[in-house]
Amino acid sequence: MIKDFLILNCIGKNDKIGLRVKDSFFIHELDHKVNKNDQLVSNILNLLKKHKVILNNKFSIIVNNGPGSFSSIRTSFSIAKAMTISKDINLYAFNNSDLKQFDLANIELLIAKGLVQNKLIKPIYLS
């Protein structure tokens, strides 16, 4: 069961990151005026530090695997994979079409329906 998580919705447009911790949900919209890929790690670290998140094997990261921008998806997965390796965090992915709106109710519905995968993650890039 996924309880506390970081969700990365970075596919090149309307990019956001969300954090659910201790029954609270926070959304951070990424600034479209700067290169989001360069700022993603800083934004994640600031969000985790602000809400005093402890990264361990009870925490999960959920990443949007597209379709979307190649660089945005690859950056999201690279950061998520690095965090899973260094902190023993669970990694999941979902398809963009399965999440109708970026809010806690829809994300919990996505999880409840089993639309997040953790076995084989295959990004879908737009060409």
Side-chain angles (χ1 to χ4, degrees):
M1 179 67 185
I2 301 171
K3 185 177 181 206
D4 292 339
F5 59 84
L6 174 71
I7 184 165
L8 304 177
N9 189 41
C10 301
I11 57 169
K13 59 180 179 179
N14 299 324
D15 293 345
K16 299 175 186 171
I17 55 178
L19 175 67
R20 179 171 183 218
V21 62
K22 299 177 186 170
D23 297 323
S24 297
F25 186 66
F26 308 97
I27 296 175
H28 177 77
E29 294 190 27
L30 301 177
D31 188 0
H32 68 280
K33 295 176 185 170
V34 297
N35 186 343
K36 294 174 286 239
N37 296 334
D38 292 341
Q39 299 297 318
L40 187 57
V41 173
S42 297
N43 286 315
I44 291 170
L45 291 175
N46 290 338
L47 188 63
L48 295 173
K49 186 186 292 186
K50 179 179 178 181
H51 298 289
K52 299 177 177 123
V53 175
I54 297 171
L55 299 176
N56 57 29
N57 62 357
K58 295 178 183 176
F59 193 80
S60 300
I61 299 177
I62 306 170
V63 182
N64 188 337
N65 68 349
S69 162
F70 176 83
S71 61
S72 294
I73 294 171
R74 291 306 306 157
T75 301
S76 297
F77 271 114
S78 297
I79 293 167
K81 189 64 176 173
M83 291 174 71
T84 61
I85 291 170
S86 66
K87 296 292 184 175
D88 193 29
I89 299 170
N90 303 304
L91 177 61
Y92 298 92
F94 68 96
N95 291 329
N96 189 50
S97 59
D98 293 334
L99 185 62
K100 303 301 178 208
Q101 188 173 352
F102 194 82
D103 60 24
L104 184 57
N106 282 308
I107 295 168
E108 287 179 335
L109 186 62
L110 183 79
I111 295 167
K113 286 184 174 181
L115 296 173
V116 294
Q117 313 166 17
N118 70 342
K119 295 191 188 274
L120 181 63
I121 298 171
K122 291 185 175 181
I124 307 166
Y125 307 117
L126 292 177
S127 37

